[in-house]
Amino acid sequence: MKDRKFEISIMIILFTFAVVVIGCYLIYGIILEKQSYTLFLKPYRVLECKKWNCEDVSNDVNKYNNKEYNTIVNGIDFGVNYIYYNKGSDKYYVFNTKNENLYSSGSLFGYSSKISISAPSYQVEEITKSDYSRIKDNLKLDFDENYIIDSGKISLDFDNDGELENLYYFYTGLDVSGIDTYFDYVIYENNSKFNKIIDNSSKIVNVDDIGTSSVTNILDIFDDGKLEFVLSSKYGATGGSCDVIYRLKGSKFVPVNECKIVQNRG
């Protein structure tokens, strides 16, 4: 009888443990579902996300195209509209209920979710000689800024501490003659501390994995004051590209989704 009581007690404990685990799993699933959102980005990319776990679903353009999205254009909330992407011409349209196009140029993204997502207005400034000098000195980098073909500096309060931080991107492409080193850098500066987000360089002229990366959107997912950004990268002669969202984890930016390289959108 004692053995039976012991066995019954073990069974009750295991059953209770299983119920608690299943309950926690269901609660976690409900929380994740409430934190789910769909992002429709420019350049064209569609991400299905559950909190910070995002999947690239851009290949299914018909499923997500010309649907209702909360729309942000150049940092301004346009409310709910239809976003249409013309794959053939690589053009974007934002139609209101009167079928009027509200979009002409600049940053654009849409989202579908119960969570709140906003976007700050921002300017892309030139990186100064002083900036390049500080970057080189702090990160021990050796590059010639005279061969840079595109660059940008964005100054915003990324970490919601009341102070401005700087986000830099600059690169030279594989089609630039006269140099034997090719590079692609994205760097975050916070309180004069520099962190490399992207650090790609090569002396091989025909290398295909040296991207040309630029920031194409700034977001505030969950509207918590901490900013995320979208990094768009293109790769070599193949025309491949990818778009990755980066978020702050502690004092460093980390990717939310993988760089899924696809061929030219057009």
Side-chain angles (χ1 to χ4, degrees):
M1 188 68 179
K2 289 183 179 180
D3 290 339
R4 293 284 297 172
K5 288 183 178 180
F6 178 75
E7 290 174 359
I8 292 171
S9 299
I10 293 298
M11 292 177 64
I12 292 173
I13 291 172
L14 290 175
F15 177 77
T16 303
F17 178 75
V19 169
V20 171
V21 170
I22 293 171
C24 290
Y25 179 79
L26 291 174
I27 292 171
Y28 179 68
I30 292 171
I31 293 173
L32 276 185
E33 193 62 35
K34 289 183 178 180
Q35 295 178 329
S36 298
Y37 51 98
T38 302
L39 287 176
F40 193 113
L41 304 173
K42 176 182 181 288
Y44 174 70
R45 191 75 59 186
V46 180
L47 300 176
E48 285 280 15
C49 302
K50 291 187 176 181
K51 198 172 182 181
W52 298 122
N53 183 16
C54 294
E55 179 185 0
D56 190 326
V57 293
S58 306
N59 288 337
D60 198 355
V61 61
N62 292 326
K63 181 178 179 179
Y64 296 95
N65 205 16
N66 205 27
K67 306 294 183 182
E68 285 188 337
Y69 296 94
N70 296 281
T71 311
I72 309 290
V73 178
N74 296 321
I76 300 173
D77 190 340
F78 276 43
V80 177
N81 301 278
Y82 287 84
I83 298 180
Y84 176 71
Y85 169 63
N86 187 316
K87 187 177 180 181
S89 62
D90 195 29
K91 290 186 178 179
Y92 302 80
Y93 302 87
V94 175
F95 295 112
N96 61 17
T97 55
K98 298 179 181 179
N99 208 32
E100 299 168 326
N101 181 29
L102 307 178
Y103 179 74
S104 57
S105 62
S107 64
L108 163 69
F109 76 89
Y111 72 94
S112 176
S113 176
K114 293 181 180 180
I115 70 167
S116 180
I117 301 177
S118 61
S121 179
Y122 67 95
Q123 298 293 325
V124 179
E125 304 172 350
E126 290 186 9
I127 303 177
T128 66
K129 289 184 177 180
S130 175
D131 291 327
Y132 283 126
S133 179
R134 292 187 306 112
I135 290 170
K136 288 180 179 180
D137 291 344
N138 280 271
L139 295 176
K140 309 302 180 186
L141 297 178
D142 182 20
F143 58 84
D144 188 344
E145 57 265 36
N146 292 315
Y147 289 109
I148 291 173
I149 62 175
D150 194 23
S151 63
K153 173 184 177 181
I154 299 172
S155 298
L156 288 170
D157 183 5
F158 285 94
D159 59 4
N160 199 27
D161 67 349
E163 302 290 337
L164 293 180
E165 292 79 41
N166 297 315
L167 187 63
Y168 306 93
Y169 62 87
F170 52 95
Y171 59 82
T172 181
L174 298 179
D175 56 349
V176 177
S177 60
I179 58 174
D180 61 358
T181 301
Y182 304 85
F183 53 83
D184 177 32
Y185 290 113
V186 180
I187 294 167
Y188 176 60
E189 179 190 6
N190 184 359
N191 292 323
S192 298
K193 294 181 179 179
F194 294 80
N195 290 308
K196 288 181 286 186
I197 300 171
I198 298 293
D199 177 8
N200 287 329
S201 63
S202 176
K203 291 187 178 182
I204 304 173
V205 176
N206 62 354
V207 70
D208 218 22
D209 59 355
I210 301 300
T212 54
S213 302
S214 57
V215 176
T216 54
N217 242 315
I218 306 289
L219 320 176
D220 185 355
I221 300 172
F222 300 113
D223 208 14
D224 58 1
K226 292 186 178 182
L227 303 180
E228 293 74 41
F229 69 89
V230 180
L231 190 70
S232 298
S233 301
K234 296 180 180 180
Y235 293 86
T238 64
S241 64
C242 75
D243 300 274
V244 177
I245 297 176
Y246 283 83
R247 73 176 182 95
L248 273 173
K249 188 175 183 180
S251 61
K252 294 184 178 181
F253 274 103
V254 297
V256 167
N257 58 293
E258 294 183 2
C259 175
K260 182 180 178 182
I261 299 177
V262 297
Q263 296 307 303
N264 201 336
R265 302 176 181 86

mmCIF file of all heavy atoms in Angstrom, residues 32 35 37 49-54 220-222 224 226-228 245-248 255-257:
data_model
loop_
_atom_site.group_PDB
_atom_site.id
_atom_site.type_symbol
_atom_site.label_atom_id
_atom_site.label_comp_id
_atom_site.label_asym_id
_atom_site.label_seq_id
_atom_site.Cartn_x
_atom_site.Cartn_y
_atom_site.Cartn_z
ATOM 1 N N LEU A 32 3.479 35.978 -27.263
ATOM 2 C CA LEU A 32 4.152 36.152 -28.546
ATOM 3 C C LEU A 32 3.170 36.565 -29.633
ATOM 4 O O LEU A 32 3.489 37.393 -30.489
ATOM 5 C CB LEU A 32 4.868 34.865 -28.957
ATOM 6 C CG LEU A 32 6.269 34.621 -28.403
ATOM 7 C CD1 LEU A 32 6.846 33.365 -29.030
ATOM 8 C CD2 LEU A 32 7.192 35.806 -28.666
ATOM 9 N N GLN A 35 2.532 40.048 -29.598
ATOM 10 C CA GLN A 35 3.692 40.834 -30.012
ATOM 11 C C GLN A 35 4.080 40.550 -31.464
ATOM 12 O O GLN A 35 5.171 40.895 -31.896
ATOM 13 C CB GLN A 35 4.877 40.532 -29.090
ATOM 14 C CG GLN A 35 4.661 40.977 -27.652
ATOM 15 C CD GLN A 35 5.819 40.622 -26.746
ATOM 16 O OE1 GLN A 35 6.494 39.621 -26.955
ATOM 17 N NE2 GLN A 35 6.049 41.438 -25.743
ATOM 18 N N TYR A 37 3.873 40.913 -35.592
ATOM 19 C CA TYR A 37 3.654 42.017 -36.532
ATOM 20 C C TYR A 37 4.235 41.660 -37.894
ATOM 21 O O TYR A 37 5.141 40.833 -38.015
ATOM 22 C CB TYR A 37 4.288 43.316 -36.015
ATOM 23 C CG TYR A 37 5.739 43.195 -35.599
ATOM 24 C CD1 TYR A 37 6.782 43.557 -36.450
ATOM 25 C CD2 TYR A 37 6.070 42.720 -34.331
ATOM 26 C CE1 TYR A 37 8.107 43.445 -36.062
ATOM 27 C CE2 TYR A 37 7.402 42.602 -33.931
ATOM 28 C CZ TYR A 37 8.409 42.971 -34.803
ATOM 29 O OH TYR A 37 9.722 42.844 -34.414
ATOM 30 N N CYS A 49 7.091 38.714 -38.014
ATOM 31 C CA CYS A 49 7.859 38.724 -36.766
ATOM 32 C C CYS A 49 6.999 38.353 -35.567
ATOM 33 O O CYS A 49 5.819 38.709 -35.495
ATOM 34 C CB CYS A 49 8.460 40.108 -36.528
ATOM 35 S SG CYS A 49 9.541 40.714 -37.848
ATOM 36 N N LYS A 50 7.634 37.642 -34.642
ATOM 37 C CA LYS A 50 7.087 37.430 -33.313
ATOM 38 C C LYS A 50 8.130 37.962 -32.346
ATOM 39 O O LYS A 50 9.171 37.349 -32.142
ATOM 40 C CB LYS A 50 6.788 35.954 -33.069
ATOM 41 C CG LYS A 50 5.619 35.434 -33.900
ATOM 42 C CD LYS A 50 5.232 34.015 -33.528
ATOM 43 C CE LYS A 50 3.991 33.576 -34.317
ATOM 44 N NZ LYS A 50 3.568 32.200 -33.961
ATOM 45 N N LYS A 51 7.848 39.134 -31.825
ATOM 46 C CA LYS A 51 8.788 39.905 -31.023
ATOM 47 C C LYS A 51 10.071 40.121 -31.832
ATOM 48 O O LYS A 51 10.047 40.820 -32.833
ATOM 49 C CB LYS A 51 9.069 39.243 -29.675
ATOM 50 C CG LYS A 51 9.688 40.228 -28.664
ATOM 51 C CD LYS A 51 9.789 39.660 -27.278
ATOM 52 C CE LYS A 51 10.354 40.717 -26.337
ATOM 53 N NZ LYS A 51 10.490 40.173 -24.947
ATOM 54 N N TRP A 52 11.198 39.487 -31.457
ATOM 55 C CA TRP A 52 12.451 39.714 -32.187
ATOM 56 C C TRP A 52 12.846 38.518 -33.039
ATOM 57 O O TRP A 52 13.987 38.389 -33.449
ATOM 58 C CB TRP A 52 13.570 40.058 -31.216
ATOM 59 C CG TRP A 52 13.325 41.308 -30.446
ATOM 60 C CD1 TRP A 52 13.267 41.432 -29.087
ATOM 61 C CD2 TRP A 52 13.095 42.617 -30.972
ATOM 62 N NE1 TRP A 52 13.012 42.725 -28.738
ATOM 63 C CE2 TRP A 52 12.899 43.479 -29.865
ATOM 64 C CE3 TRP A 52 13.014 43.146 -32.265
ATOM 65 C CZ2 TRP A 52 12.643 44.845 -30.023
ATOM 66 C CZ3 TRP A 52 12.760 44.500 -32.424
ATOM 67 C CH2 TRP A 52 12.580 45.330 -31.309
ATOM 68 N N ASN A 53 11.898 37.644 -33.313
ATOM 69 C CA ASN A 53 12.155 36.508 -34.201
ATOM 70 C C ASN A 53 11.423 36.767 -35.512
ATOM 71 O O ASN A 53 10.199 36.638 -35.583
ATOM 72 C CB ASN A 53 11.676 35.218 -33.546
ATOM 73 C CG ASN A 53 11.979 33.998 -34.388
ATOM 74 O OD1 ASN A 53 12.786 34.058 -35.307
ATOM 75 N ND2 ASN A 53 11.311 32.901 -34.092
ATOM 76 N N CYS A 54 12.190 37.130 -36.561
ATOM 77 C CA CYS A 54 11.584 37.534 -37.821
ATOM 78 C C CYS A 54 11.948 36.579 -38.948
ATOM 79 O O CYS A 54 13.080 36.110 -39.043
ATOM 80 C CB CYS A 54 12.033 38.946 -38.206
ATOM 81 S SG CYS A 54 11.432 40.228 -37.083
ATOM 82 N N ASP A 220 10.836 52.480 -34.579
ATOM 83 C CA ASP A 220 10.728 52.284 -33.137
ATOM 84 C C ASP A 220 9.678 51.209 -32.909
ATOM 85 O O ASP A 220 8.492 51.505 -32.708
ATOM 86 C CB ASP A 220 10.348 53.592 -32.435
ATOM 87 C CG ASP A 220 10.338 53.449 -30.914
ATOM 88 O OD1 ASP A 220 10.531 52.319 -30.424
ATOM 89 O OD2 ASP A 220 10.136 54.461 -30.222
ATOM 90 N N ILE A 221 10.131 49.955 -32.996
ATOM 91 C CA ILE A 221 9.224 48.823 -32.820
ATOM 92 C C ILE A 221 8.857 48.711 -31.344
ATOM 93 O O ILE A 221 9.710 48.816 -30.465
ATOM 94 C CB ILE A 221 9.883 47.529 -33.325
ATOM 95 C CG1 ILE A 221 10.216 47.666 -34.813
ATOM 96 C CG2 ILE A 221 8.977 46.318 -33.097
ATOM 97 C CD1 ILE A 221 11.040 46.519 -35.373
ATOM 98 N N PHE A 222 7.569 48.536 -31.080
ATOM 99 C CA PHE A 222 6.970 48.533 -29.736
ATOM 100 C C PHE A 222 6.893 49.942 -29.152
ATOM 101 O O PHE A 222 6.444 50.119 -28.017
ATOM 102 C CB PHE A 222 7.711 47.600 -28.771
ATOM 103 C CG PHE A 222 7.736 46.167 -29.220
ATOM 104 C CD1 PHE A 222 8.907 45.562 -29.589
ATOM 105 C CD2 PHE A 222 6.561 45.434 -29.298
ATOM 106 C CE1 PHE A 222 8.933 44.231 -30.027
ATOM 107 C CE2 PHE A 222 6.565 44.114 -29.737
ATOM 108 C CZ PHE A 222 7.758 43.508 -30.104
ATOM 109 N N ASP A 224 8.924 51.997 -27.789
ATOM 110 C CA ASP A 224 9.482 52.060 -26.436
ATOM 111 C C ASP A 224 10.598 53.093 -26.290
ATOM 112 O O ASP A 224 11.254 53.165 -25.245
ATOM 113 C CB ASP A 224 10.013 50.678 -26.029
ATOM 114 C CG ASP A 224 11.078 50.155 -26.988
ATOM 115 O OD1 ASP A 224 11.424 50.861 -27.956
ATOM 116 O OD2 ASP A 224 11.562 49.025 -26.773
ATOM 117 N N LYS A 226 13.437 53.136 -27.858
ATOM 118 C CA LYS A 226 14.694 52.602 -28.379
ATOM 119 C C LYS A 226 14.515 52.312 -29.866
ATOM 120 O O LYS A 226 13.556 51.654 -30.265
ATOM 121 C CB LYS A 226 15.110 51.344 -27.624
ATOM 122 C CG LYS A 226 15.498 51.619 -26.176
ATOM 123 C CD LYS A 226 16.047 50.382 -25.500
ATOM 124 C CE LYS A 226 16.482 50.703 -24.066
ATOM 125 N NZ LYS A 226 17.062 49.516 -23.387
ATOM 126 N N LEU A 227 15.453 52.800 -30.669
ATOM 127 C CA LEU A 227 15.292 52.774 -32.113
ATOM 128 C C LEU A 227 15.966 51.574 -32.755
ATOM 129 O O LEU A 227 17.053 51.163 -32.354
ATOM 130 C CB LEU A 227 15.859 54.063 -32.719
ATOM 131 C CG LEU A 227 15.260 55.371 -32.194
ATOM 132 C CD1 LEU A 227 15.910 56.562 -32.890
ATOM 133 C CD2 LEU A 227 13.742 55.394 -32.381
ATOM 134 N N GLU A 228 15.308 51.040 -33.771
ATOM 135 C CA GLU A 228 15.863 50.001 -34.626
ATOM 136 C C GLU A 228 16.134 50.622 -36.001
ATOM 137 O O GLU A 228 15.600 51.683 -36.319
ATOM 138 C CB GLU A 228 14.896 48.830 -34.773
ATOM 139 C CG GLU A 228 14.658 48.024 -33.507
ATOM 140 C CD GLU A 228 13.778 48.718 -32.488
ATOM 141 O OE1 GLU A 228 12.777 49.346 -32.884
ATOM 142 O OE2 GLU A 228 14.100 48.656 -31.279
ATOM 143 N N ILE A 245 16.982 43.931 -40.087
ATOM 144 C CA ILE A 245 16.656 44.859 -39.001
ATOM 145 C C ILE A 245 17.650 44.648 -37.866
ATOM 146 O O ILE A 245 17.934 43.516 -37.477
ATOM 147 C CB ILE A 245 15.224 44.630 -38.481
ATOM 148 C CG1 ILE A 245 14.200 44.911 -39.584
ATOM 149 C CG2 ILE A 245 14.940 45.525 -37.275
ATOM 150 C CD1 ILE A 245 12.778 44.612 -39.172
ATOM 151 N N TYR A 246 18.170 45.748 -37.346
ATOM 152 C CA TYR A 246 19.064 45.700 -36.195
ATOM 153 C C TYR A 246 18.400 46.387 -35.010
ATOM 154 O O TYR A 246 17.772 47.440 -35.154
ATOM 155 C CB TYR A 246 20.390 46.394 -36.502
ATOM 156 C CG TYR A 246 21.324 45.564 -37.345
ATOM 157 C CD1 TYR A 246 21.196 45.521 -38.721
ATOM 158 C CD2 TYR A 246 22.330 44.799 -36.762
ATOM 159 C CE1 TYR A 246 22.042 44.744 -39.501
ATOM 160 C CE2 TYR A 246 23.186 44.015 -37.532
ATOM 161 C CZ TYR A 246 23.031 44.000 -38.898
ATOM 162 O OH TYR A 246 23.869 43.225 -39.665
ATOM 163 N N ARG A 247 18.534 45.763 -33.834
ATOM 164 C CA ARG A 247 17.988 46.332 -32.600
ATOM 165 C C ARG A 247 19.080 46.416 -31.550
ATOM 166 O O ARG A 247 20.089 45.695 -31.613
ATOM 167 C CB ARG A 247 16.841 45.484 -32.072
ATOM 168 C CG ARG A 247 17.274 44.151 -31.459
ATOM 169 C CD ARG A 247 16.091 43.414 -30.865
ATOM 170 N NE ARG A 247 16.463 42.164 -30.223
ATOM 171 C CZ ARG A 247 16.715 42.025 -28.911
ATOM 172 N NH1 ARG A 247 16.649 43.086 -28.118
ATOM 173 N NH2 ARG A 247 17.028 40.851 -28.407
ATOM 174 N N LEU A 248 18.884 47.286 -30.583
ATOM 175 C CA LEU A 248 19.836 47.406 -29.492
ATOM 176 C C LEU A 248 19.631 46.287 -28.477
ATOM 177 O O LEU A 248 18.520 46.041 -28.017
ATOM 178 C CB LEU A 248 19.679 48.756 -28.787
ATOM 179 C CG LEU A 248 20.459 49.933 -29.363
ATOM 180 C CD1 LEU A 248 20.057 51.223 -28.661
ATOM 181 C CD2 LEU A 248 21.966 49.714 -29.258
ATOM 182 N N PRO A 255 21.412 41.772 -35.114
ATOM 183 C CA PRO A 255 20.398 41.544 -36.152
ATOM 184 C C PRO A 255 19.171 40.829 -35.613
ATOM 185 O O PRO A 255 19.271 39.967 -34.751
ATOM 186 C CB PRO A 255 21.141 40.686 -37.180
ATOM 187 C CG PRO A 255 22.210 39.995 -36.391
ATOM 188 C CD PRO A 255 22.625 40.959 -35.317
ATOM 189 N N VAL A 256 18.013 41.188 -36.132
ATOM 190 C CA VAL A 256 16.750 40.549 -35.784
ATOM 191 C C VAL A 256 16.468 39.375 -36.717
ATOM 192 O O VAL A 256 15.912 38.354 -36.302
ATOM 193 C CB VAL A 256 15.595 41.576 -35.843
ATOM 194 C CG1 VAL A 256 14.241 40.888 -35.802
ATOM 195 C CG2 VAL A 256 15.717 42.570 -34.688
ATOM 196 N N ASN A 257 16.843 39.517 -37.975
ATOM 197 C CA ASN A 257 16.623 38.457 -38.967
ATOM 198 C C ASN A 257 17.919 38.184 -39.715
ATOM 199 O O ASN A 257 18.858 38.980 -39.681
ATOM 200 C CB ASN A 257 15.520 38.845 -39.956
ATOM 201 C CG ASN A 257 15.836 40.138 -40.695
ATOM 202 O OD1 ASN A 257 15.871 41.216 -40.113
ATOM 203 N ND2 ASN A 257 16.055 40.036 -41.995
#
